[in-house]
Amino acid sequence: GYFGRANLIQNYSAVTGACMVLKKELYMKAGGMDENLPIAYNDIDFCIKIMQLGYFNLFTPYSVLYHYESKTRGYEDTEEKKLRLKKDLDYLTNKWEKTLEADFAYNINLCSVPGSLFSIKLPEEFVSVIKL
């Protein structure tokens, strides 16, 4: 991982729902998963709710898990699934816009564009020149 992050116990803003472990009481206190997000991003939404309650989303490199992404529901490879995924992302973004913009677990000097994660965020005037 980036600068050895995968080797460190640390707090994250969110973890995948496939590896969450928490007490039932905390799950209920947070209101469970948002039914407006039945397939995607419900884990991110839930982790943010946990943080809002004053708890942390802790990652440890000392656990061993096997997660077969999309094994049961398939990939987002049809137009219908892609539209649903975009709708879910828009819902999450609208719900948590300010929180997502100020992610404490991600350096503000790094790019947040998928595919460019952990690369240096360049000022907009440099990005324009590079695209030329």
Side-chain angles (χ1 to χ4, degrees):
Y2 181 74
F3 277 92
R5 283 182 78 178
N7 296 314
L8 304 171
I9 295 174
Q10 59 190 295
N11 296 322
Y12 275 91
S13 298
V15 296
T16 181
C19 71
M20 285 183 191
V21 177
L22 64 148
K23 292 182 179 183
K24 180 181 176 181
E25 295 81 28
L26 181 54
Y27 180 85
M28 300 306 286
K29 185 177 179 180
M33 300 288 185
D34 188 331
E35 292 183 9
N36 292 303
L37 298 167
I39 309 264
Y41 305 116
N42 52 19
D43 46 6
I44 296 171
D45 176 78
F46 183 76
C47 286
I48 295 172
K49 291 193 300 186
I50 292 293
M51 286 191 314
Q52 298 287 315
L53 292 173
Y55 295 90
F56 294 103
N57 297 298
L58 185 70
F59 165 82
T60 176
Y62 300 107
S63 61
V64 177
L65 305 164
Y66 295 93
H67 179 224
Y68 301 100
E69 185 68 34
S70 305
K71 182 84 169 174
T72 56
R73 72 169 201 264
Y75 294 100
E76 311 297 337
D77 56 359
T78 66
E79 284 305 312
E80 179 183 347
K81 288 181 179 180
K82 289 176 186 175
L83 284 172
R84 189 231 351 113
L85 187 64
K86 182 179 178 341
K87 179 180 159 256
D88 290 354
L89 180 58
D90 290 344
Y91 176 83
L92 179 77
T93 302
N94 289 330
K95 182 175 180 181
W96 298 110
E97 182 176 8
K98 296 293 181 198
T99 302
L100 294 170
E101 286 176 0
D103 185 350
F104 77 91
Y106 191 74
N107 189 315
I108 61 170
N109 297 303
L110 298 177
C111 188
S112 61
V113 176
S116 299
L117 296 177
F118 296 109
S119 62
I120 295 174
K121 183 192 308 181
L122 297 173
E124 194 58 42
E125 59 270 14
F126 290 130
V127 174
S128 302
V129 172
I130 292 171
K131 288 180 182 177
L132 295 176

